[in-house]
Amino acid sequence: MIKLKLGAALAAVIITMTSCSSKENRDVNGNASANDAANSAIENIMSRTSVREYAPDRKISPDTVEILLRAAMAAPTAVNKQPWAYVVLDTREALDSLAEVLPYAKMLRHAPLAIVTCGDMERTFEAERAYWIQDVSASTENLLLAANALGLGAVWTGVYPTEERVKAVSERLGLPANIIPLAVVPVGYPAKEHQPKDKWNPSVIHYNRW
């Protein structure tokens, strides 16, 4: 369970949801039911926040990296084309190299890991190639949620569509011409607890029409 202090509104939501899970949320053997799993999933989504400071000298195991990538590849994708590719950065040289060329990703200098989420233009939905952006964005969000669930901290730093960032990342990583970097996601164990923002805003919701 992620050790984060939830805001008052979030806490109220979680308490309301979990208060409904008593006897009906457990099977005849007293095991946790699907409702408990659903509550845990919702809590993970609501508690995710951008983490830019990481505990020093704490590495991330290869098994954990694989879980992050499996979660990323479980995202929805147009016509199931799965036009994603990933570059895992786990050496100081590689992380520092990107930090030099990305103005809003300086936390790479202190992160033990980063995953670059990319689109493969040879695997896109032919009728609407631009859907790769949605596909890889969904994959990136899955990655962030998985990191949060595992007690890690991560942050989405944008690359595409800023031309100079795309060029810089492509050159530093030696990406083929058909691979476009969408985002760089630094990952590490949080150096401190983070309070998630309450983004609930009913004024932006419309039903049936504007």
Side-chain angles (χ1 to χ4, degrees), residues 180-195:
I180 301 178
L182 179 88
V184 175
V185 182
V187 185
Y189 288 93
K192 60 182 180 181
E193 290 190 347
H194 290 74
Q195 182 74 22

Side-chain angles (χ1 to χ4, degrees), residues 59 90-97 107-112:
K59 302 295 184 181
D90 59 5
T91 67
R92 191 74 271 142
E93 180 183 4
L95 292 160
D96 290 348
S97 177
M107 72 290 291
L108 285 165
R109 293 190 181 279
H110 309 288

Side-chain angles (χ1 to χ4, degrees), residues 44-65:
N44 184 50
I45 292 170
M46 301 294 281
S47 64
R48 188 217 62 79
T49 189
S50 296
V51 176
R52 297 174 174 83
E53 299 175 62
Y54 314 105
D57 304 320
R58 192 170 179 189
K59 302 295 184 181
I60 299 173
S61 72
D63 288 344
T64 299
V65 174

Side-chain angles (χ1 to χ4, degrees), residues 6-104:
L6 300 177
L10 174 58
V13 172
I14 299 302
I15 290 170
T16 300
M17 294 174 62
T18 54
S19 67
C20 298
S21 59
S22 53
K23 293 181 180 178
E24 68 274 16
N25 289 342
R26 296 191 172 270
D27 61 23
V28 292
N29 297 316
N31 297 320
S33 73
N35 282 349
D36 293 314
N39 292 341
S40 178
I42 294 297
E43 182 179 355
N44 184 50
I45 292 170
M46 301 294 281
S47 64
R48 188 217 62 79
T49 189
S50 296
V51 176
R52 297 174 174 83
E53 299 175 62
Y54 314 105
D57 304 320
R58 192 170 179 189
K59 302 295 184 181
I60 299 173
S61 72
D63 288 344
T64 299
V65 174
E66 181 174 328
I67 292 172
L68 294 174
L69 292 169
R70 284 180 176 271
M73 295 183 203
T77 170
V79 199
N80 196 32
K81 288 296 185 178
Q82 304 175 36
W84 40 56
Y86 309 88
V87 181
V88 178
L89 309 179
D90 59 5
T91 67
R92 191 74 271 142
E93 180 183 4
L95 292 160
D96 290 348
S97 177
L98 278 195
E100 291 176 359
V101 296
L102 295 175
Y104 300 103

Side-chain angles (χ1 to χ4, degrees), residues 89 93-106 108-109 157-159 162-173 184:
L89 309 179
E93 180 183 4
L95 292 160
D96 290 348
S97 177
L98 278 195
E100 291 176 359
V101 296
L102 295 175
Y104 300 103
K106 299 305 181 185
L108 285 165
R109 293 190 181 279
T157 66
V159 178
T162 306
E163 187 175 341
E164 57 268 28
R165 294 185 201 174
V166 171
K167 181 179 179 181
V169 172
S170 297
E171 290 179 350
R172 290 294 170 109
L173 300 183
V184 175

